[in-house]
């Protein structure tokens, strides 16, 4: 039998068939990957055990509150001292990671009872940490913003990245039972130090510090919780979520990260600009001196208007109008008015001579600082009537404190005047002289013109209030006010505005307000 010939111009396969085969291949590969992940990775996780462990760690207990307070106390003391090692110790003690992870896992499985429990523990722990650190700062004589505190008031996109990567590691460790990793995660996420700085801002009424540190804490908290949710879902923790809930959860997580990223990106952009401006200032000053000078201690101030740049320059030849040239060039390059202050020190032309001059200047500055501190300590010891070693001098923070010995015939006003005089001679130092508990002055008031005018302290009364407020803050002993109700309330309001701690005891009649210590001498 004869076989018919096939048509010579057979139709080619559809043009989209290779693309369809590629799509099917990708889909099959993805299905195999998901099957392998579910069987070999997620399937090996004991979800019940992980959930029970995480749930138990999220309970609000006396141990949780105690460890929160201890961690907060260590953190704020380390921050005030500027000690990174002490701050790291506070991070290791902090129990806040547990309820935050609990929030993430509860969101992943849709267990809203667990979510409420974790959120409650987190909220109470956060509030306790802030109030406890505020109390410590309020009671502490050291309330200077250190570099450790300042570094936690400007969160950036980099902080969000650290929180995400740390949360991935923490969630993995909790899921796979590698709890030793949590130590490193606790250090990296740094949950407690920002809260301690929030308490510092609250105690010192510094809104910039308060809100900056609070934003950093919220950034870390949100990033850790949402990343933990994503990790838990990746490992199959989805007991009671429908497909619609899963899609909505994914959208909310992405939206939250975007909402955090925008302000953090703006903050990072400002930090990058400041770093570039500092490098530009250094390069400009070097250009003004023809590249033959060595720049030391260049210090830009970006918050000032105009922007301030100061530096010490070791140069083989003094350059006239160097500041004017640097100001003109920097203003053109930065697009912002700049005020430049340069201290020129003439040295030899060799690199070794400049290095030796720089070291000599550093040694000289150190020697001058030591001599100044010793002079302040000696003067304070003479004024307070105590040995020199009884004076506490903190050269790093430029603070000197001493408790005066009771001197015959010396009133509180005399001690106040002694502190004021020595403080006026050292404007860059914080001088604090704690007086003995001498009798407090009475406070007189007068009423302004008109029958309904408010009471105002007289000139003498205003001076008395200033003295009482100063003495209370230096000694830390509360003051009791007594007298007519209206004048006691007025005096208490003025002293509270100064930050003094007062107890009011209103009485009838008229006359001045008397003040006394709440403890005997």
């Amino acid at each position: 039998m004869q076989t018919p010939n096939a048509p010579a111009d057979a139709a080619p396969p559809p043009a989209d068939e290779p693309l369809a085969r590629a799509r099917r291949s990708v889909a099959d590969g993805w299905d195999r990957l998901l099957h392998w992940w579910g069987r070999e990775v997620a399937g090996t996780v004991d979800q019940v055990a992980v959930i029970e462990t995480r749930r138990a760690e999220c309970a609000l207990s006396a141990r949780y509150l105690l460890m929160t307070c201890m961690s907060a106390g260590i953190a704020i003391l380390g921050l005030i001292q500027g000690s990174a090692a002490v701050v790291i110790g506070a991070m290791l003690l902090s129990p806040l990671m547990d309820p935050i992870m609990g929030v993430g896992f509860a969101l992943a499985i849709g267990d809203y009872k667990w979510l409420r429990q974790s959120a409650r523990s987190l909220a109470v722990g956060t509030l306790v940490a802030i109030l406890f650190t505020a109390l410590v700062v309020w009671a502490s004589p050291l309330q200077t913003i250190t570099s450790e505190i300042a570094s936690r008031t400007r969160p950036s996109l980099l902080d969000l990245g650290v929180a995400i990567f740390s949360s991935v590691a923490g969630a993995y460790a909790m899921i796979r039972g590698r709890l030793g990793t949590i130590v490193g995660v606790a250090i990296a996420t740094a949950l407690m130090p920002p809260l301690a700085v929030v308490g510092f801002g609250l105690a010192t009424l510094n809104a910039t510090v308060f809100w900056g540190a609070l934003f950093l804490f919220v950034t870390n908290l949100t990033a850790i919780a949402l990343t933990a949710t994503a990790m838990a879902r990746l490992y199959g923790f989805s007991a009671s979520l429908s497909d619609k809930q899963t899609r909505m959860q994914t959208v909310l997580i992405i939206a939250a990260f975007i909402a955090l990223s925008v302000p953090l990106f703006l903050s990072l952009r400002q930090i990058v600009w400041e770093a570039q401006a500092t490098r530009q200032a250094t390069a400009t000053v070097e250009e003004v001196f023809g590249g033959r000078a060595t720049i030391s201690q260049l210090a830009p101030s970006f918050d000032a208007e105009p922007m301030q740049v100061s530096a010490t320059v070791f140069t083989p030849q003094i350059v006239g109008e160097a500041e004017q040239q640097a100001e003109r060039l920097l203003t053109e390059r930065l697009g912002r008015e700049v005020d430049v202050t340069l201290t020129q020190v003439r040295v030899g032309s060799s690199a070794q001579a400049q290095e030796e001059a720089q070291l000599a200047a550093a040694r000289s500055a150190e020697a001058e600082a030591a001599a100044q501190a010793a002079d302040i300590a000696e003067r304070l010891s003479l004024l307070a009537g105590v040995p020199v070693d009884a004076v506490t001098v903190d050269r790093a923070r430029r603070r000197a404190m001493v408790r005066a010995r009771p001197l015959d015939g010396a009133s509180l006003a005399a001690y106040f005047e002694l502190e004021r005089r020595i403080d006026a001679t050292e404007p860059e130092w914080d001088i604090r002289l704690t007086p003995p508990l001498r009798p407090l002055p009475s406070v007189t008031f007068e009423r302004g013109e008109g029958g309904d005018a408010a009471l105002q302290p007289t000139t003498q009364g205003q001076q008395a209030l200033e003295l009482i407020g100063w003495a209370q803050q230096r000694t830390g002993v509360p003051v009791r006010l007594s007298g007519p109700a209206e004048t006691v309330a007025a005096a208490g309001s003025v002293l509270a505005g100064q930050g003094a701690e007062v107890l009011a005891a209103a009485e009838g009649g008229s006359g001045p307000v008397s003040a006394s210590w709440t403890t005997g001498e």
Side-chain angles (χ1 to χ4, degrees):
M1 183 175 67
Q2 186 178 3
T3 302
N5 295 329
D9 54 347
D16 61 345
E17 186 172 331
L19 181 60
R21 285 200 299 269
R23 288 175 178 171
R24 287 195 297 271
S25 178
V26 171
D28 291 341
W30 179 251
D31 289 339
R32 287 195 295 272
L33 177 62
L34 290 180
H35 180 70
W36 170 84
W37 179 269
R39 184 184 69 256
E40 301 294 336
V41 181
T44 62
V45 176
D46 187 350
Q47 294 191 11
V48 174
V50 172
I51 290 174
E52 290 303 317
T53 302
R54 291 298 96 221
R55 194 191 303 271
E57 293 294 334
C58 296
L60 182 61
S61 62
R63 173 191 171 279
Y64 169 78
L65 294 178
L66 175 64
M67 296 303 291
T68 298
C69 288
M70 295 305 98
S71 174
I74 294 172
I76 192 59
L77 292 178
L79 291 166
I80 291 175
Q81 296 175 22
S83 173
V86 176
V87 175
I88 290 174
M91 298 178 197
L92 296 177
L93 286 179
S94 173
L96 292 177
M97 177 69 78
D98 291 324
I100 295 177
M101 283 292 186
V103 169
F105 277 81
L107 283 173
I109 67 174
D111 188 335
Y112 296 105
K113 181 179 179 180
W114 183 13
L115 178 62
R116 287 193 298 271
Q117 177 194 21
S118 300
R120 179 170 174 264
S121 297
L122 178 60
V124 172
T126 299
L127 184 61
V128 167
I130 292 175
L131 294 179
F132 186 78
T133 52
L135 178 63
V136 172
V137 173
W138 176 80
S140 170
L142 301 177
Q143 297 182 357
T144 305
I145 298 178
T146 63
S147 59
E148 288 289 334
I149 293 175
S151 65
R152 290 169 173 85
T153 60
R154 294 186 62 187
S156 70
L157 199 60
L158 300 178
D159 295 296
L160 179 61
V162 170
I164 291 174
F165 294 147
S166 301
S167 182
V168 169
Y172 173 81
M174 291 178 177
I175 292 171
R176 306 302 299 185
R178 309 289 196 271
L179 295 182
T181 308
I182 299 301
V183 173
V185 172
I187 296 174
T189 51
L191 292 167
M192 185 54 72
L195 272 187
V197 177
V198 172
F200 180 92
L202 178 63
T204 58
L205 301 180
N206 190 320
T208 301
V209 170
F210 180 90
W211 292 112
L214 184 61
F215 186 34
L216 176 58
F217 174 73
V218 171
T219 296
N220 288 343
L221 182 156
T222 307
I224 292 170
L226 296 184
T227 304
T229 299
M231 284 290 292
R233 294 303 309 274
L234 185 64
Y235 274 87
F237 288 77
S238 56
S240 59
L241 290 180
S242 65
D243 291 340
K244 182 178 179 181
Q245 288 175 320
T246 299
R247 288 193 298 271
M248 181 177 297
Q249 190 182 78
T250 303
V251 170
L252 291 176
I253 290 175
I254 295 174
F257 278 124
I258 293 175
L260 284 175
S261 298
V262 173
L264 292 174
F265 170 76
L266 296 177
S267 177
L268 177 62
R269 187 174 66 173
Q270 177 65 20
I271 293 173
V272 170
W273 183 87
E274 290 180 1
Q276 292 175 342
T278 301
R279 288 194 295 269
Q280 188 70 262
T282 303
T284 300
V285 174
E286 290 177 346
E287 179 182 335
V288 168
F289 286 86
R292 297 177 299 168
T294 299
I295 301 173
S296 175
Q297 301 174 350
L298 187 140
S301 178
F302 299 101
D303 296 331
E305 191 60 44
M307 174 181 161
Q308 305 286 329
V309 174
S310 61
T312 300
V313 182
F314 298 96
T315 174
Q317 184 177 0
I318 301 298
V319 177
E321 298 185 352
E323 294 179 347
Q324 291 80 356
Q325 295 180 48
E327 287 177 357
R328 177 177 54 81
L329 291 174
L330 272 178
T331 299
E332 292 176 357
R333 294 170 181 176
L334 298 180
R336 176 179 173 182
E337 188 177 354
V338 182
D339 184 11
V340 178
T341 302
L342 301 177
T343 302
Q344 300 185 49
V345 180
R346 188 169 183 174
V347 297
S349 58
S350 66
Q352 182 180 359
Q354 295 185 13
E355 291 173 359
E356 290 176 353
Q358 190 171 3
L359 289 173
R363 295 191 189 103
S364 176
E366 177 67 16
E368 289 179 4
Q372 183 184 29
D375 178 65
I376 292 174
E378 185 175 356
R379 283 188 286 160
L380 273 178
S381 69
L382 291 174
L383 292 175
V386 297
V388 175
D389 56 9
V391 181
T392 302
V393 178
D394 186 347
R395 285 168 50 192
R397 298 176 179 84
R398 299 199 172 192
R399 173 173 292 179
M401 297 175 289
V402 66
R403 180 175 295 276
R405 184 173 61 85
L407 302 175
D408 294 338
S411 63
L412 275 180
Y415 291 104
F416 179 64
E417 183 63 20
L418 289 175
E419 181 188 281
R420 190 191 65 80
R421 288 185 179 182
I422 192 170
D423 190 56
T425 63
E426 304 293 342
E428 296 181 354
W429 281 71
D430 181 11
I431 307 296
R432 300 194 177 192
L433 187 149
T434 301
L437 298 183
R438 294 302 196 193
L440 295 168
S442 59
V443 185
T444 55
F445 283 82
E446 61 184 1
R447 195 176 298 277
E449 297 181 0
D452 297 331
L455 282 173
Q456 297 291 338
T458 63
T459 301
Q460 182 181 0
Q462 185 62 46
Q463 294 173 350
L465 287 171
E466 183 179 2
L467 179 61
I468 293 170
W470 169 82
Q472 195 285 316
Q473 291 179 330
R474 290 293 181 266
T475 61
V477 178
V479 172
R480 178 181 290 107
L481 301 178
S482 58
E486 187 178 11
T487 52
V488 165
S493 177
V494 174
L495 290 172
Q498 297 178 12
E501 182 180 357
V502 297
L503 302 174
E507 302 172 355
S510 60
V513 174
S514 61
S516 60
W517 301 107
T518 56
T519 182
E521 294 192 35

